[in-house]
Amino acid sequence: MSATNFRFEGSDMNRKLLMGHPSGLFVLFFTEMWERFSYYGMRAILVLFLTSAIIDGGWAWSREDALGLYGTYTMLVYFSPILGGLLADKFLGYRRSVAIGAFIMTLGHAAMAFDTPWSLYLGIAFLVAGNGLFKPNITSIINGVYKNAQDKKDGAFTIFYMGVNAGAFLGILLCGYIGESIGWHFGFGLAGIFMFLGMVQFWLAQTIFGRIGLSPKDTLSFDADHKELGEDTNKEEVVPSHVQKDRYIVVGILAFFTIFFWAAFEQAGGSMTIFASDYTNRVLEGDSATIFRIANTLLTVVPLLIITYVLLQLFKITFSKYKLSNLALGLSFAIIWGIVIYMLKSQFNQENTEIPASWFGILNSFYIIAFAPLVSKIWESKYNPPATVKFGIGLILLGLGFGVLAYGSASIPQGAQTASVSVVWLILAYLLHTLGELSLSPVGLSYVSKLVPAAKIGMMFGLWYIAVGLGNKAAGYSGGLIDKITAAYDMSTFFLIFTIVPICAGLLIMALTRKVNKLMHGVH
């Protein structure tokens, strides 16, 4: 399909392009960015807070208990979208579901700002419920925008994924810094502020999507008022039942291998955070401290400048019609810049620098911001490999990242509770993990939207996230075994488990390429 044949759905404003994609994609980009800011910001400090000593403001939980709660929470976060997708498909519509979900999550972060057990559990319950309404339905809106531009979808989801990780980057960086240096519950509260601003900017700009994402009832009313849309807006390719059945099988295969990916990848918020906190040399002095401060400044400011540039380009297109939405978005960036400048100034005024344990989590997001545009171009070029090959590459790169950690931790004695290995191993591991994630995660979302009929898209995204949730629970459980495995064997053995399993899974799904391509019946 040539570029001239693409027809993006939505309002006339939505068809004004930014980076070759509809401007509405970037409204979703920033909405998702602030939701991911809140999610990853809270997640970055949850285990650290629970395992910290009471004198340091924590609750002194064991690693196993803390990672057990972490795994349950992240699992439920990904289980809840099945219900949220059904409610959106049948009653609420995608847009209203996104807004309600964002509001409920704002309440959840507000509850976690209080230092009591009941507020922690209440906050987690709100975050799970709100996420169920938010997560599957914002991706469903993208599916509607690209209904008649399928070949642009992989690139669109990769750009969207860049927004996901811009939010994760800022959330981990700033909530982690505020949580570790000022107070854990200030970090939790900060996450809620940006969740609220993200909700406001989305709600005030939602008409950019036209009829996309409205409830079934509102869709009928919209079509009655816009008869010039004609019959074309409701047309969808009729797929024979045996073909659709085969495509559902493909979604199931991809979802199965997704479990293995996230079971290893989500060690980032669990055992890898503990490894950074207790086994990595994070105290820098002299030239090393200076180099880190400069590198951290560039690492923070350059991506933020890039995202701010995208923001300004969106303002040029949409400000005339969506002033209040743009002002809410502009306010959020003004606050972000203020906190970033305060953080960097404080770090430069310190004699020695201790890298926050949560800081390493930003590397994943930084690498995605850096590499997502390149990967997006590859997926839109003649070198675009089949889905199974992309998944295989992602799993193998993930395993190699843990291989780096296994090698780097070889010097840690059996059963050691602390150590001081180089930060280089975590930096390299996150690079390989990120390249693996880019090969698998946004591609999985894109293929679900291609293989599933539009009427079932919300529910099927929900089912997809159940697979991700199972991976997250497995990550929490397996990460909680870190003390037992290192006591019986050593730290290298612990990381070797996460090296071997993903690589074997990656080779297996690559071997299924010919069979899966046949089951797709022409979807590519």
Side-chain angles (χ1 to χ4, degrees), residues 14 39 66 103 263 280 302 317 349 351 415 489:
N14 189 50
Y39 174 76
F103 179 70
T280 303
V302 172
I317 296 172
N349 287 337
E351 185 175 345
Y489 302 97

Side-chain angles (χ1 to χ4, degrees), residues 74-240:
T74 54
M75 176 187 70
L76 291 175
V77 157
Y78 287 102
F79 274 18
S80 58
I82 182 64
L83 180 58
L86 283 168
L87 286 172
D89 284 338
K90 299 292 185 184
F91 306 108
L92 297 174
Y94 305 135
R95 277 149 55 173
R96 192 172 296 156
S97 296
V98 167
I100 294 172
F103 179 70
I104 294 173
M105 284 189 283
T106 300
L107 296 178
H109 288 296
M112 292 189 70
F114 297 95
D115 190 8
T116 63
W118 71 265
S119 62
L120 175 74
Y121 291 119
L122 180 65
I124 286 176
F126 277 142
L127 291 175
V128 168
N131 182 84
L133 286 168
F134 186 100
K135 196 165 189 67
N137 297 314
I138 195 164
T139 44
S140 297
I141 297 172
I142 296 177
N143 181 65
V145 172
Y146 286 82
K147 177 182 175 182
N148 294 303
Q150 294 291 317
D151 288 355
K152 295 284 284 183
K153 228 179 219 182
D154 282 6
F157 272 103
T158 303
I159 289 173
F160 180 71
Y161 212 66
M162 186 177 167
V164 167
N165 285 276
F169 172 87
L170 292 169
I172 294 169
L173 179 73
L174 300 181
C175 293
Y177 172 75
I178 296 296
E180 291 189 60
S181 63
I182 297 177
W184 301 112
H185 296 281
F186 286 100
F188 292 139
L190 182 66
I193 292 172
F194 291 99
M195 185 71 263
F196 177 75
L197 290 171
M199 174 193 70
V200 170
Q201 79 92 22
F202 170 79
W203 185 255
L204 295 175
Q206 63 170 310
T207 57
I208 197 170
F209 302 109
R211 71 194 295 277
I212 299 168
L214 293 173
S215 68
K217 180 180 177 181
D218 290 340
T219 299
L220 291 173
S221 299
F222 184 96
D223 289 348
D225 293 338
H226 296 76
K227 292 180 181 178
E228 69 273 12
L229 289 173
E231 296 180 1
D232 184 62
T233 56
N234 287 313
K235 280 187 177 180
E236 183 181 355
E237 176 191 1
V238 177
V239 178

